Each structure stands twice: as C-alpha cells, then as structure tokens.
Amino acid sequence: MSFTQPALREHQNGTPIGDILSARGSEAEIGLPAPWPDGDDRATVGKFVSIKLGNVELIGMITEVSARSSERRENLNIKAVAKIALKGEIISDNEGKLHFKRGVSEYPAIGDKANLVTGEQLRLIYSPDDQRTINIGKLNHDLSIDAHIDVDSLISKHFAILGSTGVGKSSGVAVILSEILRARPDVRIFLLDGHNEYSGCFGEKAHVIDRKNFKLPFWIFNFEELTDVIFGGRPAVPEEVEILAELIPIAKTTYLNYKSSSSGVGIKKIDAKRSGFTVDTPVPYLLQDLLSLIDDRMGKLENRSSRMNYHRLLMRIETISNDPRYGFMFENASVGGDTMVDLLTQLFRLEPDGRPISIMQMAGLPVEVADAVVCVLCRLAFGFGLWSDGAMPLLFVCEEAHRYAAANPSSGFGPTRHALARIAKEGRKYGVFLGLVSQRPAELDPTIISQCNTLFAMRMANDLDQALLRSAVGDSGVDLLDFIPSLGTGEVVGFGEGMPVPARLTFTNLAPDMLPRSESNGPSSSKPVNTLLDRDFVKSVVDRWRGTTKEADNIGENRAGLSSSRTSQASTGEDISSLLNDARRQILKR
C-alpha cells in the first residue's frame, strides 16, 4: 500500500503527545505534558510515534516511560518523559508516492513535535505494495491492521521461531508455512516434524512421510552416519571401523562390476583400488556383499582376537538389518538398485503433484538413528542445491532444532550439527534455506542461529534464553525483548530482515481442523480417561513398541523373500558376476 503526498498531508498528524527533549543516535526523548490523556491517545510502551521533519516523517517506538526527571522541574507542564527508538522514515519518491524505509537519514531537533502514528501510516509500513509479502497476523498496536512481512527476505535469509512449550509455537509455524506456500508456489518445503503433529495443517498440499512409506537406503548414508547407526550412537570400536572403511569401497566396486556384467556390457572388471569410490560415495552396494567380504576375511584369520573383531561387526550389522524398526534402511538391502533419483524427487517434492510440502514424521523412527537420519536429510538437501545450481528453491524447516544443533559440542551427533551449519552459512547461495524452531534457544549452536536474519520470539521465562536473544538481535528492536516474558499465547515479537519494523503481533488463528496436534490417542482433558485397559490392548502396545506388528513382520518376510530370491539369482549367475560366487556358496554352506 502506498499514499501520494496529498494523502499524507491529510492524515499525517496523529494525536500530538509532546516535544522532543533530546536525541542521541537511534534514540530520542519526548516530554509528555499534563494533563495526561485518556483512552487510546495515551503514550505508553510499545506505541509508535511520528516526527515531522520537512518532507520526511520519522517513525519510532516508545520503549520506556518515566516520571519527569529532577533537572526538568523548571518546566512544570512536563509530567513524564518517553524514550523512543527510531526505526525508519516515510519518504516520497519522484512520482510523489510515499514509502517506508528502515534506517534514519535525518534526526529530530529540540522542540520538534511528536504525534502518535495514524492507521494509514501503520498500513503504509506493514502493507507495502512494492514487496512480495505474507500476512501472518495482526499488530497488537492496532488489531485492525494486518502484520505483513517480506516473504523473500524471510526465506532467503533464514528465520527462527523461538518460544517455550505451550505458547503457540507450532501454530505459528503452520501459519507462516501456509502463507509461504500461497505466496511462493515455486518454493518446496521440507518440514522435520519431531512430534508428528503437522500432518493435518496443510490439507491436500502436504505429502506426509511416515515409517510406513519412508525409504532411506543404507548405502546413501556416509561413513560417519552409517557407523553411528551400526553402533547405536555409542562410541565406535576403532578396529571394527577400520574393517568397514576398507571393505565398503570393495562392496561398491563389486556391485558396479556385477551390474555391468548383468547388463551384457563387455568391459574389464574394475579394481576396487582404482574405482574412485570412497566410503562416502553415494552409490549403491549390496549388504550381502559387505557381509560376505567380512565373513571371508574372518575365515582367513588365525588370530582369535582379530577374528572376534570381524565377528562382532558381522553380528552388529546382521542385528540391525533384521530389526523391523530399521526396515526403512534395509528392506531392499540384498536386492540393490539405484533409487537416488526417486528418493530426492519424493523427499523434496521436485515433482510436486499439487503437494509442495513434505512432512517428515520423526516420532516413529528408532531414537538411536534419529540424529543420523536428520544428518542424511540435511546433507541431501544441501547436496541437491549445490549440484543443481539452485534449480529448485528449498526451505528446510527443523523442529526441535536444539536437539540436532546443540551449542555443546559434546551433545548430540556432531555431523548433524555440521550439516545444519553448512545450510545456515552457505545454503542461500544454492537455493537451500533454513527455518529453525526451538523451545530452548540457549542450547542452540550460536553460529547457526546467528545466520537467521528474521527472529520470531514468543514467551520465554528462562534467563539464558533471553540473553541469547539479546545477543542475536542486532538493531534497536532489542528494547522489545522486555516484552518477551509477558507475551500471551499466540503473541510474538518479530525482529530482523523480514519485518518492516520490529513489532509485537498476534499470529492468525487457525481453523480447528488445521491446528497442529499429535497423532497419538493420549488422554484429553475434555474426555474421560479409561482407568482399565484390557490385555489385548496392552499386547498391541508392546507389539508396536518392539516393532513386531503384522506390518513389521510383513516387512521382515519381504526382506527374507528378497534375500532368498537374491541368493537364488546368484546361484544361476543371472544377476551377479562370478567375482564372489564361490565365496557366497561357502557362506551358505557354513
């Protein structure tokens, strides 16, 4: 929205509140005269004021109101003094249209008049017609005015939503992402849903990925991620890590050789040392090949201690590959196939089919591998942006970000923190953008949160969290941080590049069916709690807990059938080269 110069003259004077007493940098003081007005015309903390300077209208916010100081007793008409933080100015362009811009080019002089801003001036600030904006709520200063933010600055310069549990953080996330989907249909959104609560927030626009349809083959994990999975997040055994580091490239070369052989291409077999494959190269290989190599090496050793290292590693891999909870990684482990194109297309909605947002439900995955899975997803998002030269803008939104990007280097999984940090520091160059959501900002890696140029701060009572916010907010909006402990549910203070001016606002209320809610059937305060649970129900809970439901059993049966098929094919020589045929027959005999 913009106004011509005559329009400004018509509405430029709001309620006068006093005169400028002093000005310093981005701050000024206003003398508030007696009698004190009633109603909405009072000069209170959080209200905006305007100061007319020729053709420029300075805009500021009242940050403090105090009784008249002793050195000004000679002016008995001054009842109080208000401190204001200067935010920007309204200026006219060559065509006479008025625009708001951040920053101050002219400063007020002693005696200049200060007025409360008008509704037209606020609309000019928060509804600019020269920017692509989204409406996320209402200004607390005037609930008739929509709170618009610059969607391009919000996305491209990263953002964070911070607040304690129960303050409406998830609803705020849903509001912002819904508006982004409306204003930027070219952007794909990938949301890490830590508590499975967003599946109903976006209607038909969302592609929900849960434990039933999630596929992330083990070979796409890099070496650090795979070892973290194999050792369950515990410190790895160096001798076993060395075995893996040596044999994984050989397994990858073996798969390449047998694929070339089965396709009928008569080429010389590739030596593992000259294949160019490393432990981190994202190419397929068969789990059975890796197990055969380990078993073959173990059979040639005479030293019992060395043999035990191979045996323990073999048992670890077989244990997790047969665990139904890890079916998303190992379901086709002995069948093979390069599914990376399909995987990227599904995860990041590269062919959206009307569903441009992916919701990755994390609650159904084993806790031991959650960090490694998030690391893989972050790495894939950044890697696709890097190697596609930013062909598809992607917003990666991370719920419970303090878990994956902890400030303490000894907490969590280090590679996950590094993967998120890489997106934060370099992602915007390749069209990969970051949105962080956290209830404990003090536990977030300061390097990562410092890259978020738009912050939405909701109610927080913890002193450490508030201290981090003060260090992260670099402009005069730091004065608004005093509101943080007293914010109501759904209220937020916005700072940074996406906001025209730092302000206190209230998120849009979502329709009841669009509210984030957990998919669990836990007790509700509005429903009577069943005090008796029959044994069949408890048994179903235990089955789900163990991952031994019929669905999980079917996965295990399918995996066994595929493995059997794979063995049969190997014996016929149709799908595998003769490189490991003899070794596999020996394994089967044992």
Side-chain angles (χ1 to χ4, degrees):
M1 180 181 295
S2 63
F3 298 94
T4 60
Q5 193 68 26
L8 176 62
R9 283 196 292 269
E10 180 181 351
H11 298 286
Q12 65 183 351
N13 294 323
T15 303
I17 58 171
D19 301 334
I20 296 295
L21 298 178
S22 66
R24 179 173 62 89
S26 61
E27 296 180 349
E29 287 188 343
I30 302 172
L32 305 178
W36 194 262
D38 295 326
D40 294 336
D41 292 337
R42 293 183 299 168
T44 57
V45 172
K47 289 201 171 184
F48 288 96
V49 299
S50 64
I51 306 165
K52 178 70 174 174
L53 302 178
N55 292 327
V56 175
E57 197 84 42
L58 285 184
I59 302 297
M61 175 183 285
I62 298 177
T63 59
E64 181 182 335
V65 178
S66 59
R68 177 173 49 84
S69 57
S70 58
E71 61 266 22
R72 298 192 179 97
R73 290 183 184 277
E74 66 278 4
N75 189 344
L76 299 178
N77 194 41
I78 297 178
K79 183 176 182 180
V81 174
K83 289 185 179 180
I84 64 171
L86 301 175
K87 304 296 185 182
E89 52 193 25
I90 296 175
I91 59 175
S92 61
D93 58 19
N94 295 332
E95 298 178 356
K97 290 185 177 180
L98 298 173
H99 303 275
F100 174 79
K101 75 178 187 69
R102 301 180 66 162
V104 177
S105 59
E106 295 189 45
Y107 291 87
I110 303 298
D112 284 341
K113 303 296 182 181
N115 307 302
L116 292 177
V117 298
T118 64
E120 288 82 357
Q121 289 171 327
L122 278 179
R123 288 187 179 89
L124 178 63
I125 295 171
Y126 284 97
S127 301
D129 61 358
D130 58 344
Q131 294 177 347
R132 184 160 43 179
T133 64
I134 57 176
N135 176 16
I136 63 172
K138 299 288 185 180
L139 291 179
N140 282 25
H141 182 78
D142 187 340
L143 293 178
S144 67
I145 298 176
D146 294 331
H148 286 259
I149 60 176
D150 182 355
V151 64
D152 297 322
S153 294
L154 176 74
I155 296 174
S156 63
K157 297 180 181 179
H158 308 321
F159 67 91
I161 302 175
L162 312 171
S164 302
T165 300
V167 299
K169 196 165 62 272
S170 298
S171 296
V173 172
V175 168
I176 291 176
L177 296 187
S178 296
E179 284 292 299
I180 291 175
L181 290 174
R182 178 191 59 79
R184 289 289 304 271
D186 59 311
V187 173
R188 302 293 179 262
I189 300 177
F190 186 87
L191 171 61
L192 282 177
D193 185 0
H195 302 291
N196 295 6
E197 57 183 343
Y198 289 99
S199 59
C201 294
F202 308 100
E204 297 298 322
K205 293 183 178 180
H207 172 66
V208 179
I209 305 172
D210 57 21
R211 62 187 182 89
K212 299 177 183 178
N213 62 359
F214 182 44
K215 306 298 178 188
L216 196 66
F218 71 97
W219 53 262
I220 213 163
F221 287 61
N222 69 21
F223 191 60
E224 284 184 302
E225 295 155 356
L226 184 61
T227 53
D228 188 68
V229 171
I230 291 174
F231 291 92
R234 297 182 295 274
V237 179
E239 293 80 6
E240 298 178 31
V241 171
E242 290 179 6
I243 297 170
L244 280 174
E246 179 184 0
L247 297 184
I248 287 178
I250 299 176
K252 293 177 179 180
T253 306
T254 300
Y255 181 77
L256 177 63
N257 283 331
Y258 104 73
K259 285 295 290 183
S260 300
S261 171
S262 62
S263 63
V265 179
I267 62 173
K268 185 178 180 180
K269 297 206 181 302
I270 302 173
D271 181 40
K273 296 181 179 179
R274 299 180 181 179
S275 65
F277 292 153
T278 69
V279 289
D280 292 328
T281 306
V283 296
Y285 63 98
L286 301 182
L287 186 65
Q288 185 60 44
D289 286 347
L290 179 61
L291 294 175
S292 297
L293 288 168
I294 295 173
D295 192 84
D296 186 54
R297 292 286 182 92
M298 180 174 65
K300 295 178 181 179
L301 294 174
E302 296 182 357
N303 185 292
R304 179 177 175 82
S305 177
S306 299
R307 284 174 57 90
M308 288 305 299
N309 291 328
Y310 284 84
H311 179 71
R312 283 193 294 265
L313 178 59
L314 197 65
M315 294 302 297
R316 292 184 202 275
I317 297 175
E318 289 181 340
T319 298
I320 62 170
S321 64
N322 291 323
D323 190 333
R325 299 178 304 152
Y326 293 80
F328 69 94
M329 289 180 60
F330 298 103
E331 183 175 352
N332 294 319
S334 294
V335 175
D338 190 349
T339 59
M340 192 165 182
V341 172
D342 292 337
L343 176 66
L344 292 173
T345 302
Q346 180 202 36
L347 286 177
F348 305 130
R349 309 309 299 157
L350 304 181
E351 295 176 354
D353 296 327
R355 296 184 291 174
I357 177 172
S358 287
I359 301 175
M360 177 68 230
Q361 295 189 337
M362 299 295 297
L365 299 181
V367 176
E368 298 86 354
V369 300
D371 290 342
V373 168
V374 172
C375 187
V376 175
L377 297 172
C378 291
R379 190 168 47 79
L380 290 177
F382 182 86
F384 181 79
L386 172 65
W387 297 109
S388 68
D389 295 323
M392 182 68 72
L394 173 65
L395 173 61
F396 193 97
V397 183
C398 183
E399 267 270 13
E400 302 293 341
H402 56 278
R403 171 181 174 179
Y404 307 112
N408 186 353
S410 62
S411 299
F413 184 45
T416 307
R417 181 172 60 253
H418 299 326
L420 278 170
R422 194 176 186 193
I423 294 177
K425 291 186 285 189
E426 305 176 45
R428 67 191 68 180
K429 302 175 185 176
Y430 308 109
V432 184
F433 313 115
L434 187 63
L436 300 179
V437 186
S438 176
Q439 59 182 318
R440 285 307 314 273
E443 296 181 4
L444 265 171
D445 187 324
T447 302
I448 296 177
I449 197 171
S450 68
Q451 298 294 323
C452 297
N453 288 309
T454 303
L455 297 178
F456 298 98
M458 305 186 78
R459 185 170 70 244
M460 284 179 282
N462 187 280
D463 291 338
L464 293 177
D465 294 334
Q466 295 181 43
L468 181 133
L469 275 177
R470 292 185 183 279
S471 65
V473 176
D475 56 19
S476 55
V478 70
D479 300 300
L480 286 171
L481 290 176
D482 294 332
F483 294 124
I484 299 298
S486 60
L487 292 175
T489 300
E491 289 187 342
V492 59
V493 177
F495 308 89
E497 296 291 333
M499 298 291 299
V501 172
R504 182 175 175 177
L505 55 98
T506 301
F507 280 127
T508 302
N509 289 327
L510 294 171
D513 59 331
M514 293 294 181
L515 286 171
R517 55 172 57 87
S518 175
E519 294 183 351
S520 65
N521 297 319
S524 170
S525 59
S526 61
K527 298 179 181 180
V529 178
N530 186 5
T531 57
L532 295 176
L533 298 176
D534 58 50
R535 293 181 62 86
D536 290 339
F537 176 79
V538 176
K539 183 179 183 302
S540 69
V541 171
V542 173
D543 287 342
R544 291 177 59 194
W545 192 343
R546 292 173 174 171
T548 57
T549 59
K550 183 176 181 181
E551 173 191 335
D553 287 336
N554 288 339
I555 292 175
E557 291 170 4
N558 291 338
R559 188 184 305 116
L562 291 170
S563 177
S564 172
S565 173
R566 176 71 186 89
T567 303
S568 174
Q569 292 170 354
S571 65
T572 63
E574 293 177 356
D575 291 329
I576 188 169
S577 71
S578 60
L579 184 64
L580 289 178
N581 268 345
D582 293 337
R584 286 176 180 165
R585 291 191 185 98
Q586 292 172 9
I587 295 294
L588 292 173
K589 289 178 182 178
R590 285 198 293 267

